[in-house]
Amino acid sequence: MKAKVLINGYGSIGKRVADAVSAQKDMEVIGVTKTKPDFDAKLATELGYKLYCAIPDKERVKAFEEAGIPIEGTILDVIEEADIVVDGAPKKVGKENLEKIYKPNKVKAILQGGEKAKDVEDNFNALWSYERCYGKSYVRVVSCNTTGLCRILYALKDFGIKKARVVLVRRGADPNDDKTGPINAIKPNPVTVPSHHGPDVVSVVPELKDKIITSAVIVPTTLMHQHTLMVEVESEVKREDILEKINETPRIILVREKEGFSSTAKIIEFARDLGRKRYDLPELCVWEESVNTLGNEIFLMQAVHQESIVVPENIDCIRAMLEMEDDKFKSIEKTNKALNLIK
Amino acid sequence: MKAKVLINGYGSIGKRVADAVSAQKDMEVIGVTKTKPDFDAKLATELGYKLYCAIPDKERVKAFEEAGIPIEGTILDVIEEADIVVDGAPKKVGKENLEKIYKPNKVKAILQGGEKAKDVEDNFNALWSYERCYGKSYVRVVSCNTTGLCRILYALKDFGIKKARVVLVRRGADPNDDKTGPINAIKPNPVTVPSHHGPDVVSVVPELKDKIITSAVIVPTTLMHQHTLMVEVESEVKREDILEKINETPRIILVREKEGFSSTAKIIEFARDLGRKRYDLPELCVWEESVNTLGNEIFLMQAVHQESIVVPENIDCIRAMLEMEDDKFKSIEKTNKALNLIK
């Protein structure tokens, strides 16, 4: 029997997780929800997803009817069927949904990185906390930036991380966002140092407490985030050993400037040429030339596709929470194969 | 008698240095040069600068005549009059000018940051190397990014710098540049870590050798560069002491997000509202909220106006090389006052 997954909020993350769940052999989408009848809602029904109104409210339901978009009912008509809900609601709404809908209806739920660590039982990254989240009911898949950091720090963990310093250069807006800026500025966000990204990594990897310091700026681009890492480790380390560890780690790929990967634009072009739906690239990309060591310190630069990096993590999180597979590497392999990831 | 300054290359830096020299009491512009009769050339003559052809070549001279822009001759007709030349030529052309024009004509010359440290006698920053450049003949004023780093590291030097880690987020193009990108990407530049900015700081501050590590990316904005600094110092330091040092250091101002300085766009709006010509802001801007300490490490973020930060440095460099003022702080004060800088 396939695990029954409800996607609450068919938005940027929700629509991707819906497709990713559908691609797996051991789970299925029993429905997706929208708060209003926009083109995303229409597309969901055209793609064959059963559509429900995310808010159990007569006026809302009527709006769908008036727009000629057929719905099956409201979230309350389907939630009992679900083994788990993947929440794709906007920031802070996930927490509301958890308290008002998921807990009262006794359904397991995955929240996204916009919610707070303290509002859930645990925080998920497939490499670091799969076992810890096994069988749990309310788990948060950490944000795109945190996921990228967790992956690379997993690759580096055997060198003994003493202090990781990271500067994040964040994309200003997603490609479909026509209201957010900046379009010509660099914006410290937050202006205070360190930023919240360090503690967010620690929510997944408690042993990094006081060992990771992050800061972030926002810049005018829509494609990917970029991170510069400076990681002090226990002893001197060779560049080749780092490259080997990166190669061994799932969902991290090396890109080379000398092969044309001179920027995030070139990386995304690669995803487009691969024929990836929506040009998604859930693999973390590390620039090979940037990997360097000076004594006990490792340097590298990486790029994170903000819209898709957490998608395979959501799939593995479902398997962990529903106790469908107790070996994280097997789950990762299943997910990657179904999604046709490079590794 | 005023020092006679020739500006060779009335471009982005040259036109600003020409105005800055003209604003001083102890120096004057005896001429500016252009290689071709574009609108910059026309404007130079309208502003009252004597215009010369930068390349002593008949065809070039003819082009100016044909464009109806009066010139006084070629650079060779004016160079003997000059006490010093400020070279504003594009990258690498400065070195050629040094070898082919300045040295044969035995005239002192200032090159800009696009040239290499090894091609000149010394490298200039008013705070760090004024005395060292005193009386010298061929000196380079370091680049905008290096100047910004030199200033802030001067403010921090008394804390005993053990290791400075810096990530530079560079503007993709100047505002008048309509051919350079990226317009939607983050581009490691260089993709190798560390970048050349660290060694460039060391060309000014030799005692920082092996103590500064920089890396850089380019982003789609035209207004300013942004730097994130993480500086390990000899012992624990208080935030207030850092702010005090910054306040004591000329040409660094503190900007506060809470007062509306949320990005480089807001900082430039401030320069526009000040009525600054070309919205120039030669003062280094440090975000006050970003200044923080964790044990022996200092964190801060700063913004550099790439087009103008080196302009007052060129003025002080002229005074040092022509031995016009032996106290760097007095030169800085004269320059700042004439240019109406905040401090």
Side-chain angles (χ1 to χ4, degrees):
Chain A
M1 253 239 318
K2 291 185 177 187
K4 295 183 190 319
V5 182
L6 175 65
I7 310 290
N8 191 23
Y10 187 77
S12 181
I13 297 295
K15 62 190 179 185
R16 288 175 166 85
V17 174
D19 289 350
V21 167
S22 304
Q24 311 300 314
K25 288 180 182 162
D26 54 353
M27 54 187 80
E28 63 180 328
V29 176
I30 59 163
V32 305
T33 79
K34 285 291 298 177
T35 56
K36 55 180 188 289
D38 58 9
F39 75 83
D40 261 348
K42 198 170 177 193
L43 195 56
T45 61
E46 284 173 10
L47 290 173
Y49 292 118
K50 287 184 179 172
L51 181 66
Y52 295 85
C53 182
I55 302 171
D57 171 272
K58 276 185 187 170
E59 288 301 314
R60 292 269 178 178
V61 170
K62 217 170 118 187
F64 280 91
E65 282 164 10
E66 284 171 4
I69 298 178
I71 56 171
E72 314 279 330
T74 78
I75 185 169
L76 298 184
D77 297 316
V78 66
I79 200 153
E80 277 186 22
E81 271 180 66
D83 297 315
I84 193 163
V85 183
V86 176
D87 187 282
K91 205 171 172 170
K92 292 185 186 170
V93 181
K95 190 205 162 181
E96 270 181 52
N97 288 341
L98 178 65
E99 300 302 330
K100 291 187 187 162
I101 304 178
Y102 312 143
K103 285 186 180 174
N105 284 283
K106 296 188 176 53
V107 62
K108 291 191 175 194
I110 296 175
L111 303 192
Q112 303 303 319
E115 307 305 317
K116 288 184 178 157
K118 67 173 179 54
D119 294 329
V120 289
E121 288 174 277
D122 215 328
N123 300 279
F124 186 83
N125 171 266
L127 293 166
W128 282 105
S129 62
Y130 189 97
E131 295 86 352
R132 232 169 57 208
C133 293
Y134 205 73
K136 284 191 175 158
S137 297
Y138 308 116
V139 173
R140 182 179 72 120
V141 170
V142 290
S143 73
C144 47
N145 280 308
T146 306
T147 298
L149 290 175
C150 285
R151 283 196 200 150
I152 192 67
L153 293 170
Y154 189 87
L156 302 181
K157 73 174 171 24
D158 292 347
F159 302 120
I161 296 168
K162 281 176 67 180
K163 182 150 288 190
R165 295 172 179 86
V166 187
V167 176
L168 297 90
V169 178
R170 296 167 53 198
R171 63 88 184 87
D174 280 346
N176 70 336
D177 180 349
D178 54 13
K179 64 180 192 298
T180 309
I183 63 166
N184 188 13
I186 303 170
K187 185 173 176 161
N189 188 280
V191 72
T192 48
V193 184
S195 71
H196 64 280
H197 303 92
D200 209 35
V201 168
V202 174
S203 79
V204 177
V205 193
E207 59 260 46
L208 288 178
K209 189 162 162 39
D210 299 327
K211 292 182 177 177
I212 177 165
I213 296 158
T214 55
S215 67
V217 297
I218 291 180
V219 302
T221 183
T222 62
L223 301 178
M224 301 181 93
H225 301 298
Q226 185 273 352
H227 301 164
T228 301
L229 282 93
M230 293 151 277
V231 184
E232 289 183 89
V233 294
E234 294 296 342
S235 53
E236 259 189 58
V237 54
K238 278 189 252 162
R239 182 171 185 268
E240 307 83 83
D241 296 339
I242 301 164
L243 294 175
E244 196 183 318
K245 283 288 181 191
I246 290 172
N247 275 324
E248 281 171 11
T249 307
R251 296 180 187 157
I252 311 185
I253 57 174
L254 287 165
V255 294
R256 293 167 199 88
E257 191 199 45
K258 65 177 179 221
E259 289 178 0
F261 290 105
S262 52
S263 72
T264 55
K266 302 290 189 182
I267 294 174
I268 291 302
E269 186 73 358
F270 170 68
R272 296 171 73 202
D273 289 337
L274 282 176
R276 290 280 180 90
K277 185 167 180 182
R278 304 181 178 102
Y279 71 66
D280 283 354
L281 197 68
E283 298 93 337
L284 176 69
C285 300
V286 174
W287 273 282
E288 186 172 306
E289 290 97 331
S290 75
V291 177
N292 195 10
T293 61
L294 281 177
N296 289 12
E297 192 160 5
I298 298 168
F299 300 87
L300 64 85
M301 291 185 182
Q302 63 186 25
V304 170
H305 183 228
Q306 76 278 2
E307 296 170 292
S308 69
I309 192 171
V310 301
V311 172
E313 306 291 328
N314 272 272
I315 302 301
D316 295 326
C317 190
I318 291 171
R319 281 205 195 91
M321 291 170 70
L322 297 181
E323 301 176 71
M324 295 163 67
E325 168 59 68
D326 60 10
D327 181 336
K328 69 181 173 194
F329 289 112
K330 285 191 182 159
S331 175
I332 289 171
E333 203 185 323
K334 282 181 200 172
T335 306
N336 288 4
K337 200 175 164 194
L339 299 182
N340 218 4
L341 299 194
I342 294 168
K343 79 189 220 327
Chain B
M1 254 237 325
K2 291 185 176 187
K4 294 183 191 318
V5 182
L6 175 65
I7 310 291
N8 189 24
Y10 188 77
S12 181
I13 298 294
K15 63 191 180 185
R16 288 175 166 86
V17 174
D19 288 352
V21 167
S22 303
Q24 311 299 315
K25 287 180 184 163
D26 53 354
M27 54 186 81
E28 63 180 328
V29 177
I30 59 163
V32 305
T33 78
K34 285 291 297 177
T35 57
K36 54 179 188 288
D38 59 8
F39 74 83
D40 261 348
K42 197 170 177 195
L43 196 56
T45 61
E46 283 172 10
L47 290 172
Y49 292 118
K50 286 185 180 170
L51 182 65
Y52 294 85
C53 183
I55 302 172
D57 170 273
K58 276 185 188 171
E59 287 302 313
R60 293 269 178 178
V61 170
K62 216 169 120 188
F64 280 91
E65 282 164 11
E66 283 170 3
I69 298 177
I71 55 171
E72 313 279 330
T74 78
I75 184 169
L76 298 184
D77 297 316
V78 66
I79 201 154
E80 277 186 23
E81 270 182 65
D83 297 316
I84 193 163
V85 182
V86 177
D87 186 281
K91 206 171 171 170
K92 293 184 185 170
V93 181
K95 190 205 163 182
E96 270 181 50
N97 288 341
L98 177 64
E99 300 302 331
K100 291 187 188 163
I101 305 179
Y102 312 144
K103 285 187 180 174
N105 284 282
K106 296 188 175 53
V107 62
K108 292 192 174 193
I110 296 176
L111 302 192
Q112 303 303 319
E115 307 305 318
K116 288 184 178 157
K118 67 173 178 55
D119 294 328
V120 289
E121 287 175 278
D122 215 329
N123 301 278
F124 187 84
N125 171 266
L127 293 165
W128 282 106
S129 61
Y130 189 97
E131 295 86 351
R132 231 169 57 209
C133 293
Y134 205 74
K136 284 191 174 158
S137 296
Y138 308 115
V139 173
R140 181 180 71 121
V141 170
V142 290
S143 73
C144 46
N145 280 309
T146 306
T147 298
L149 290 174
C150 286
R151 282 195 199 152
I152 192 68
L153 292 171
Y154 189 87
L156 303 181
K157 73 175 170 26
D158 292 348
F159 302 119
I161 296 167
K162 280 178 67 180
K163 182 150 289 192
R165 295 173 180 85
V166 187
V167 176
L168 297 90
V169 178
R170 295 166 54 198
R171 62 87 184 89
D174 279 346
N176 69 336
D177 180 349
D178 54 13
K179 65 181 192 297
T180 309
I183 66 166
N184 189 13
I186 302 170
K187 185 173 176 161
N189 188 281
V191 72
T192 48
V193 183
S195 70
H196 65 279
H197 303 92
D200 209 35
V201 168
V202 173
S203 78
V204 177
V205 194
E207 60 260 48
L208 288 178
K209 189 162 162 41
D210 299 326
K211 293 182 175 176
I212 177 164
I213 296 159
T214 55
S215 67
V217 296
I218 290 181
V219 301
T221 182
T222 61
L223 301 177
M224 302 181 93
H225 301 298
Q226 185 272 353
H227 302 164
T228 300
L229 283 93
M230 294 150 277
V231 184
E232 289 184 87
V233 293
E234 295 296 343
S235 54
E236 259 189 57
V237 54
K238 278 188 253 164
R239 181 171 185 268
E240 307 84 81
D241 296 338
I242 301 163
L243 294 175
E244 196 182 316
K245 284 289 180 190
I246 290 172
N247 275 324
E248 282 171 9
T249 307
R251 297 180 187 157
I252 311 185
I253 58 174
L254 288 164
V255 294
R256 293 167 199 88
E257 190 199 44
K258 67 177 178 220
E259 289 178 359
F261 291 105
S262 52
S263 72
T264 54
K266 302 290 188 182
I267 294 174
I268 291 301
E269 186 72 358
F270 170 69
R272 296 171 73 201
D273 288 339
L274 281 177
R276 290 279 180 91
K277 185 168 179 182
R278 306 182 177 101
Y279 71 66
D280 283 353
L281 198 67
E283 299 93 337
L284 175 70
C285 300
V286 174
W287 273 282
E288 185 171 307
E289 289 98 331
S290 76
V291 178
N292 195 10
T293 61
L294 281 177
N296 290 12
E297 191 160 6
I298 298 168
F299 300 87
L300 63 85
M301 291 185 183
Q302 64 186 25
V304 171
H305 183 228
Q306 75 278 3
E307 297 170 291
S308 69
I309 192 171
V310 301
V311 173
E313 305 292 328
N314 272 273
I315 302 301
D316 295 326
C317 190
I318 292 170
R319 282 206 194 91
M321 291 171 69
L322 297 181
E323 301 177 72
M324 295 163 68
E325 168 59 67
D326 61 8
D327 181 335
K328 69 180 173 195
F329 289 111
K330 283 190 183 160
S331 175
I332 289 171
E333 204 185 324
K334 281 181 202 174
T335 305
N336 288 4
K337 201 175 164 193
L339 299 182
N340 217 4
L341 300 194
I342 293 167
K343 80 186 216 340

